């Protein structure tokens, strides 16, 4: 079963669309190979001692007893690291010359000071996990606890604890984009202005497979090998080589086996990566580390944590004139790999969402606090940008006494290409038609009757509409390599990486169909710097847009090379060689037709030659996945509990390669968006910096039973930004669902006088909002 | 997890003597709380005494006007037992609401009662139904058994053998789950036996399970959800955490009590 597609596909033969994932048999029968399945022979096991305090000075670390503990090979501290003269975890991001960024030093082990609960303090390396755990408890750290700050409002206020001396007022950066003057002028002339202060809640990743790393050192070649449960191997390699160890890139290889989830959380360089490499070299043996669940909650990156004041100006007819956005973004205690990106460079092109807003300005301040670092996880910047405009639209409709759908209709982008106020040129789309399709699919017309039926049961029913605009690209180049062996098997190597998206199926299919060979001929190679020299990784829905383009170019290059070789090998004129059905066909004038399979060509080449195609997709164009979602909820007014009853998505991801996999990605994204809207909050206690939701006992991740079936329709409007016409899907659901669900909850509560709720709309929050509204009534 | 010794007694007598011999040893009777806390190194019993092989500890039977459930009877057995469903349907339903299928297939009534987790369901059922906890040495009324957070009247070396529930005319349980852990954030068990009406609350009290006497008084006038309208529960002594303030828990106690009474009347 797969979703209806409004426009027929062109590129992929019908019987190959929606084929099931090749990788699933492996994953579903326990044959997946994850990092912790294969610790290398003779490896040592590492455990990390972490700060129990949000902010403290380290007066001393006594490792004597731990070092004597049975099976322990080393206990290493920040002083050892400093003595070895090694560097700190870098952030190579730039926010532009007008927005300088404070990047304080972040050695992988804290010394002198710890700045968040979970900050690494010491590393134990032992002959078994058990021995390492036992020794961890024997380390005695003398802390002088200092006041912590986790709340951004307090962090930027006078007299707040200072996380870094080099960042006065705890400010890491200030980033401004758009045209503040024209936005202010338009706002001044607006007939209506609605303003909203909203929280985009901090969320934690809860990947099925926690983080992990194995470091090995090969003394004979002087090279490191880092195996991780991660993604973005090339970026991690560069950060470790250039930032931490100050060695050539070639001195470190980074490899990922199967990865059990990440959504961006595993794209960053973690201190533990540096630690296992360092320890492996010091001890002359591989060092293996796997995070416990609580280590992922307290020391994996989080996302969001924005506090935004947003204003929308409208004319008398309800047309949008201007949007002003001021945001504080909580970076945590350190600047992680891409930490400053989500609220700034990633959010900018999507600011204003899918609407025609002539003047937009944004002013973002990055704030240091005593919390785990944030980074680009689960959609980054796009969810925040779309959330604020979609919430403003509903608020404006309520204030102006307009229907929220009608207000959307008046303001959605109408003609394409559309240059938005941030300079992004949205090439194609059909927002109005998709809004109508979504309303039809959700039986919008029948809602009043359903609302009455709920009322009769003592429940409040609400319907929420949410549009979204994604802007996808990431690193503006991607590469793919197709290597043919003499047995005809082929390797498709690519610089993006699947951590659940199904590239072994979709990417292989893309290449196989273009070559005219069975998909079984091809094997996908990814996440391995030893065989994939360069790559931009996955993230920001870029894999198909950028990577798919690279595959198409690699196929073209391989075909051209095959034809050249075939012509040379058969002494035919190049013009007489064509490529048909996976083989070269030579039709020399007067001679018999001859067919040369790729395997035959590869076998005929000299040993130093190789039959290989390379595609380098240089592309600075963004794609603009977009869509319209509709959610229906029921609120139990006595308890505040929210039940999500139905969810409709009408999405345009351009041309689809595999609608089944696309729908799967959308489902996952929506589930996580619903989680952010109703359940998840990586909460800290201000002043102590204790993480209050550091286990599944307190951090509510969405469960299957929390979700209704999703009704999905794909509208395929191909983009010209890449040779496939695909726009990308990855994070679409996580972008669209939060505001769609919150709009539905507020629609349900509006009759009671509730106009605002911050995420997550937990039962207590909803109940409190109802109670407050009643007391004001 | 730390190292520990493991014992598998065949009789209650052996279990009790092992418990006496092994200082800080723990009974393993399902382990749905104990084993995770051991894995997290939050509990470190030097010895585990597994009741799994002790004969006669598991089972459900009617004895006169009482329903008697053996200590190692699993939640799933109570939830699906025709005897329980006939005798005290509200108790079977409560057992079916504990944890998830994995927990219900391993966890036992004795384990839950002995652990007295302040958010566990069985303590509320025991207190509301006026159960008697029968150990290898004595009989303890539920009223005296649950003494505080994870605290019970059990003496060192004492092992729960079975629990006896008097059969009541009406009983039901309503639970509002903690959104994250799915434990009871507020669980209310109501029971009516003649003119004796009891309302026991779990998940909410900062000292564990307790009886909501104000609600009991209101229900004595008439056993109807209407009797509870306008009766407020004090937030004093209730838990507050990131999921629910004491005030919200107090409010939920009223709501869940009403729902439990409605369900009890419907049985």
């Amino acid at each position: 079963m797969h979703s209806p597609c409004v426009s027929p596909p062109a590129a992929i033969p019908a019987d190959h669309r929606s084929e099931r994932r090749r990788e699933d048999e492996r994953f579903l029968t326990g044959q997946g190979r994850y990092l912790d399945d294969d610790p290398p022979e003779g490896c040592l096991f590492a455990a990390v001692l972490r700060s129990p305090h949000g902010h403290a000075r380290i007066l001393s670390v006594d490792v004597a007893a731990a070092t004597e503990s049975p099976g322990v090979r080393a206990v290493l501290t920040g002083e050892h690291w400093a003595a070895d003269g090694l560097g700190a975890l870098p952030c190579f991001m730039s926010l532009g010359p007008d927005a300088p960024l404070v990047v304080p030093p972040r050695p992988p082990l804290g010394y002198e000071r710890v700045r968040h609960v979970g900050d690494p303090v010491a590393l134990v390396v032992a002959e078994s996990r058990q021995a390492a755990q036992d020794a961890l408890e024997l380390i005695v750290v003398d802390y002088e606890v200092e006041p912590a700050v986790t709340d951004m409002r307090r962090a930027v206020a006078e007299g707040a604890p200072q996380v870094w001396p080099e960042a006065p007022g705890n400010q890491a950066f200030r980033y401004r984009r758009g045209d503040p003057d024209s936005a202010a002028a338009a706002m001044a002339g607006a007939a209506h202005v609605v303003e909203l202060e909203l929280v985009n809640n901090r969320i934690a990743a809860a990947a099925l497979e926690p983080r992990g790393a194995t470091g090995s050192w090969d003394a004979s070649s002087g090279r490191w090998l880092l195996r991780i449960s991660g993604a973005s191997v090339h970026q991690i390699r560069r950060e470790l080589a250039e930032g931490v160890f100050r060695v050539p890139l070639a001195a470190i290889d980074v490899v990922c086996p199967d990865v059990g989830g990440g959504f961006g959380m595993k794209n960053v360089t973690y201190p533990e990566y540096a630690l296992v490499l360092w320890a492996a070299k010091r001890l002359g043996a591989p060092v293996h580390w796997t995070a416990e669940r609580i280590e992922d909650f307290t020391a994996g990156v989080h996302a969001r944590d924005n506090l935004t004041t947003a204003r929308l100006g409208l004319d008398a007819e309800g047309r949008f004139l201007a949007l002003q956005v001021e945001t504080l973004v909580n970076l945590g205690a350190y600047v992680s790999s891409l930490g400053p990106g989500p609220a700034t460079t990633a959010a900018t092109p999507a600011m204003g969402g899918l609407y025609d807003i002539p003047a937009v300005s944004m002013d973002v301040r990055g704030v240091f606090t005593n919390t785990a670092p944030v980074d680009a996880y689960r959609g980054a910047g796009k969810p925040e940008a779309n959330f604020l405009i979609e919430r403003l639209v509903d608020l404006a409709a309520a204030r102006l006494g307009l229907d929220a759908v009608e207000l959307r209709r008046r303001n959605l982008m109408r003609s394409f290409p559309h240059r938005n106020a941030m300079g992004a040129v949205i090439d194609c789309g059909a927002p109005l038609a998709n809004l109508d399709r979504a309303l039809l699919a959700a039986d919008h017309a029948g809602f009043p009757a359903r609302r009455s039926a709920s009322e009769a049961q003592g429940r409040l029913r609400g319907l929420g509409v949410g549009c979204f605009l994604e802007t996808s690209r990431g690193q503006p180049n991607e590469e793919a390599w197709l290597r043919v062996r003499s047995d005809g098997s082929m390797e498709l190597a690519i610089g993006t990486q699947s951590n659940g998206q199904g590239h072994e199926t979709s990417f292989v299919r893309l290449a196989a169909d273009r070559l005219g060979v069975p998909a079984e001929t091809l094997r996908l190679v990814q996440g391995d710097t030893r065989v994939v020299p360069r790559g931009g990784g996955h993230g920001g829905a870029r894999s198909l847009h950028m990577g798919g383009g690279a595959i198409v170019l690699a196929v073209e290059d391989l075909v051209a090379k095959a034809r050249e070789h075939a012509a040379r090998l058969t002494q035919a004129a190049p013009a007489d060689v064509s490529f048909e059905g996976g083989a070269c066909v030579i039709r020399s004038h007067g001679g018999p037709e001859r067919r040369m399979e790729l395997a035959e060509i590869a076998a005929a080449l000299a040993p130093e030659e190789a039959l290989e195609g390379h595609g380098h997709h240089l592309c600075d164009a963004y794609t603009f996945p977009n869509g319209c979602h509709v959610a229906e909820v029921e609120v139990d007014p006595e308890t505040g509990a929210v039940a999500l009853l139905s969810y409709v998505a009408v999405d345009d991801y351009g041309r689809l390669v595999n609608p089944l996999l696309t729908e799967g990605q959308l489902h996952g994204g929506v589930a996580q968006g619903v989680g952010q809207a109703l359940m998840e909050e990586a909460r800290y206690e201000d002043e102590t910096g204790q993480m209050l939701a550091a286990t599944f006992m307190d951090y509510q991740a969405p469960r299957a039973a929390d979700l209704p079936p999703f009704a999905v329709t794909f509208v395929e409007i191909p983009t010209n930004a890449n040779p496939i016409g695909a726009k990308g899907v990855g994070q679409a659901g996580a972008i669209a669902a939060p505001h769609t669900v919150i709009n539905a909850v507020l629609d349900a509560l509006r009759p009671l006088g509730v106009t605002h709720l911050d995420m997550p709309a937990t039962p207590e929050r909803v109940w409190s909002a109802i109670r407050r509204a009643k007391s004001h009534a | 997890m730390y190292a520990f010794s493991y014992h598998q007694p065949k009789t209650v007598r052996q279990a009790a003597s092992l418990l006496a011999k092994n200082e800080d040893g723990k009974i393993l009777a399902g382990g749905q709380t104990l084993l995770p806390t051991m894995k997290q190194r939050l509990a470190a019993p030097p010895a585990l005494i597994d009741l799994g092989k002790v004969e006669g500890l598991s089972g459900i039977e009617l004895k006169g006007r009482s329903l008697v459930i053996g200590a190692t009877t699993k939640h799933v057995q109570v939830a699906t037992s025709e005897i329980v469903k006939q005798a005290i349907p509200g108790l079977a339903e409560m057992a079916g609401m504990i944890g998830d299928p994995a927990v219900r297939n391993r966890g036992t009534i004795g384990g839950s009662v002995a652990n007295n987790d302040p958010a566990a369901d069985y303590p509320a059922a025991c207190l509301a139904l006026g159960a008697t906890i029968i150990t290898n040495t004595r009989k303890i009324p539920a009223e005296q058994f649950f003494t505080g957070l994870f605290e019970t009247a059990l003496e060192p070396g004492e092992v729960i053998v079975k629990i006896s529930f008097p059969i009541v005319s009406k009983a039901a349980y309503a639970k509002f789950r903690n959104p994250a852990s799915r434990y009871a954030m507020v669980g209310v068990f109501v029971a009516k036996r003649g003119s004796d009406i009891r309302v026991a609350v779990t998940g909410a009290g900062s000292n564990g399970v307790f009886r909501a006497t104000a609600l009991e008084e209101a229900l004595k006038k008439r056993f109807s959800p209407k009797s509870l309208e306008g009766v407020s529960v004090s937030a004093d002594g209730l838990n507050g955490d990131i999921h629910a303030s004491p005030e919200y828990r107090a409010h939920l106690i009223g709501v869940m009590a009403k729902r439990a009474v409605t369900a009890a009347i419907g049985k």
Side-chain angles (χ1 to χ4, degrees), chain B residues 95-109:
Chain B
M97 281 190 243
I98 298 173
D100 56 25
V103 168
R104 291 196 290 276
N105 278 280
R106 298 298 298 177
T108 66
I109 186 169

Side-chain angles (χ1 to χ4, degrees), chain A residues 129-131 133-134 137 292 459 636-641 681 683 692-693 695-700 703 706 762-764 767 771, chain B residues 1-3 39-41 117 176-183 185 241-249 251-252 255-256 258-259:
Chain A
R129 284 175 223 257
Q130 186 80 19
Q133 287 290 338
D134 289 346
E137 294 175 9
E292 305 213 348
R459 289 172 195 266
D636 177 346
E638 284 192 313
T639 63
E681 188 171 33
R683 197 153 144 187
L692 301 175
T695 73
F696 284 124
M697 291 293 280
D698 286 309
Y699 190 88
Q700 185 191 2
R703 297 160 158 90
D706 298 321
T762 60
E764 183 179 29
W767 173 76
R771 196 164 68 145
Chain B
M1 199 178 268
Y2 300 96
K39 283 186 189 169
Q40 292 169 326
R41 296 191 162 210
D117 187 310
F176 194 88
R177 289 179 169 84
N178 176 308
S181 71
R182 314 300 275 180
Y183 272 89
M185 196 155 81
D241 55 35
I242 62 170
H243 305 288
S245 62
E247 292 72 29
Y248 181 46
R249 279 193 166 87
H251 166 78
L252 285 177
V255 176
M256 292 300 119
K258 269 191 252 174
R259 291 183 184 179

Side-chain angles (χ1 to χ4, degrees), chain A residues 632-717:
Chain A
E632 232 168 278
V633 300
E634 239 179 19
V635 178
D636 177 346
E638 284 192 313
T639 63
V642 176
L644 180 61
L645 301 181
S646 69
Y647 199 93
V648 164
V650 175
D651 285 353
D652 166 16
Y653 305 135
R655 181 158 288 146
L656 303 177
V657 170
N658 184 319
L660 182 69
L661 270 64
T662 310
E663 189 169 351
Q665 288 194 50
L666 176 65
H667 284 193
V670 170
Q672 299 214 25
V674 172
Q676 186 181 8
L678 298 179
M679 304 163 200
E680 297 175 70
E681 188 171 33
R683 197 153 144 187
Y684 283 88
E685 181 177 68
D686 199 29
E687 303 195 5
T688 66
Q690 288 304 318
M691 195 182 176
L692 301 175
T695 73
F696 284 124
M697 291 293 280
D698 286 309
Y699 190 88
Q700 185 191 2
R703 297 160 158 90
D706 298 321
L707 303 165
F710 303 142
V712 180
T713 303
F714 295 130
V715 177
E716 298 191 55
I717 301 175

Side-chain angles (χ1 to χ4, degrees), chain A residues 415-499:
Chain A
S415 61
F416 297 92
H418 175 97
R419 176 182 289 272
N420 74 11
M422 309 312 278
V425 180
I426 294 95
D427 57 341
C428 60
L432 278 165
N434 291 346
L435 172 66
D436 288 335
R437 285 189 185 106
L439 294 173
L440 198 64
D443 186 22
H444 184 244
F447 177 69
R450 294 194 295 279
R451 176 175 259 180
S452 302
S454 293
E455 249 171 42
Q457 306 274 320
R459 289 172 195 266
L460 303 165
R461 199 174 185 110
L463 179 143
V465 176
C467 299
F468 78 95
L469 173 74
E470 154 80 298
T471 58
S472 163
R473 189 195 70 191
Q475 183 177 307
N477 63 305
E478 193 51 77
E479 294 179 74
W481 294 262
L482 268 165
R483 298 169 189 134
V484 185
R485 293 201 196 154
S486 56
D487 63 359
S489 68
M490 269 181 258
E491 196 176 85
L492 169 60
I494 188 151
T496 71
Q497 191 189 333
S498 170
N499 52 172

Side-chain angles (χ1 to χ4, degrees), chain A residues 93-248:
Chain A
M93 270 202 85
S94 163
L95 300 179
D98 57 331
L101 175 65
V102 180
V103 182
R106 188 189 183 191
L109 289 174
Y111 54 102
E112 292 169 2
R113 208 169 269 275
V114 283
R115 290 180 176 81
H116 69 90
V117 166
D119 213 356
V121 175
L123 183 79
V124 174
V125 186
E127 283 153 17
S128 70
R129 284 175 223 257
Q130 186 80 19
Q133 287 290 338
D134 289 346
L136 219 50
E137 294 175 9
L138 300 173
I139 301 173
V140 183
V141 185
D142 190 6
Y143 293 105
E144 185 178 282
V145 178
E146 301 211 344
V149 60
T150 68
D151 178 85
M152 276 191 290
R153 268 197 209 91
R154 205 165 69 81
V156 296
E158 198 115 329
Q162 299 295 294
V163 182
W164 293 102
E166 54 267 60
N170 290 317
Q171 182 167 310
F173 65 81
R174 183 161 183 193
Y175 171 93
R176 281 165 281 201
R177 286 295 180 274
D179 185 343
D181 294 340
S182 71
M187 201 65 80
H192 310 280
V193 175
V194 289
E195 181 175 306
L196 196 52
E197 189 175 283
L198 36 81
V199 171
N200 206 295
N201 44 323
R202 178 180 279 244
I203 49 177
L208 271 179
E209 183 197 15
R211 295 174 298 136
T214 314
S216 310
W217 167 254
D218 180 5
S220 62
S221 64
R223 288 163 68 107
W224 271 295
L225 176 66
L226 177 67
R227 296 179 83 246
I228 53 172
S229 170
S232 285
V233 290
H234 299 94
Q235 179 191 310
I236 290 167
R237 170 199 227 185
R238 181 176 160 229
E239 291 180 352
L240 288 169
E242 292 178 11
V244 178
F245 293 104
R246 302 180 187 118
V247 295

Side-chain angles (χ1 to χ4, degrees), chain A residues 360-371:
Chain A
V360 178
S361 68
M362 56 189 282
D363 185 344
V364 184
R365 283 190 286 161
V367 181
F368 287 117
T369 64
N370 296 113
T371 60

